[in-house]
Every structure is written in C-alpha cells, then in structure tokens.
Amino acid sequence: ATVGPSQRFGEAVSASSGNLQVAAATSWLPTRAVVQTWQRSGSQPWSAPATPLPTGFHRSYDPSIATLDNGTIVVSEGADLAHRTFCLDSGSVAITRITSAGPTVPVIIDDQRGHSGFDDRPTVAAGYGSDVWAGWSHGSYAHSCVLVGGDDQLHVALSTDYGRTF
C-alpha cells in the first residue's frame, strides 16, 4: 500500500470486504503522528493516503480495524490535542467508516476535550448485523504521560447503525 523511511509506520492493520481492501497505520510525519488509511478495489492501485483526523485534534494513533457485514470497513483511532510531546492531552476515541466511495468524516465516540481524563488504546469489532463495538482504556489526567496509568478503566460503546452513531 505504501513505503516510507525506516520507522515511519507503526500499528499497521488491514481488512478486506469483497473487492475493497483497506490498510491503516500510524504514520510518524516530520512534525507529528497521524493515522493514515489506504484503500483499493480489486486490482486497482492503492489510493493516496487519507488522514481521518477528527476536526479540532492535532494527532492520532493506535488504529484498529473491522469489517462489517454490509461491506463497510471501520477504523478506530485515538486522537489528542498534542499540547505535550509524550502525553495524551484530551485523548479521545474516533471511528471512520470506509466504503468503496472512500472514508467518511470521523465520528467521535468519546470526546475528552474539556474533561479531566484521556482515552488510549482504542479497538473496534464487528458485531451481529449493524452492531459495531468500540473499546478503549480511560485514565485520569495525572496519568496521561505514562504508558499504563494506575487508574485506567476499560470502556465500551455500542453502535447499532454500522458505526454512524454511538
């Protein structure tokens, strides 16, 4: 799907549905990290990278991917404001739906802007019918600069409309 210099990409994931193939990875660009997606149908060439960063956020990380029974592929990601280099400032969870027409505008599942916590390590799973499950760890601001916070809790959200709303 893409090539880059050593250590440019991380957390690579992929999925397919019929003719549609999607790959996603965290891309470490010169000034920030963002989740990027690539897609193709059949034997067509891979698309240019799309960056499904929710409006108002500065960087994104930790993509996860799932294929829904209607052929839509969903990519979850963490997104934050990047006020501090190695911290998840207002880290939140978002999901982007991808069809053969391309990616949709990201839907924010849990918005931590203006709150005292942060979200990390998002994941997404396809359920029965139109169900989409999203999960993540949620911690307090005091632990937003450590790899695993001492007070992290698991959170789960359910969409019953193919990931349009949670």
Side-chain angles (χ1 to χ4, degrees):
T2 190
V3 295
S6 177
Q7 299 180 352
R8 162 83 185 272
F9 303 107
E11 300 98 29
V13 294
S14 63
S16 64
S17 174
N19 264 351
L20 180 63
Q21 299 171 327
V22 175
T26 301
S27 297
W28 282 279
L29 303 175
T31 59
R32 65 187 175 143
V34 292
V35 169
Q36 291 184 309
T37 63
W38 298 263
Q39 70 180 74
R40 72 177 181 176
S41 293
S43 61
Q44 296 295 314
W46 288 94
S47 69
T51 305
L53 185 66
T55 301
F57 290 90
H58 181 69
R59 66 181 168 201
S60 54
Y61 49 88
D62 292 348
S64 178
I65 199 164
T67 302
L68 308 182
D69 67 0
N70 72 349
T72 300
I73 295 176
V74 291
V75 176
S76 67
E77 65 182 322
D80 80 313
L81 302 178
H83 293 300
R84 299 172 294 165
T85 304
F86 299 107
C87 304
L88 298 178
D89 297 303
S90 299
S92 301
V93 177
I95 191 170
T96 300
R97 301 170 65 249
I98 301 174
T99 67
S100 58
T104 62
V105 173
V107 172
I108 298 174
I109 299 170
D110 192 51
D111 192 345
Q112 287 299 308
R113 292 174 291 183
H115 296 279
S116 62
F118 74 100
D119 297 333
D120 195 13
R121 306 191 194 294
T123 190
V124 65
Y128 177 77
S130 63
D131 291 353
V132 177
W133 294 90
W136 62 92
S137 74
H138 176 82
S140 65
Y141 179 82
H143 295 148
S144 62
C145 299
V146 297
L147 287 177
V148 178
D151 61 1
D152 286 3
Q153 298 175 349
L154 294 179
H155 286 220
V156 177
L158 170 64
S159 167
T160 58
D161 60 2
Y162 295 103
R164 291 180 182 89
T165 60
F166 284 82

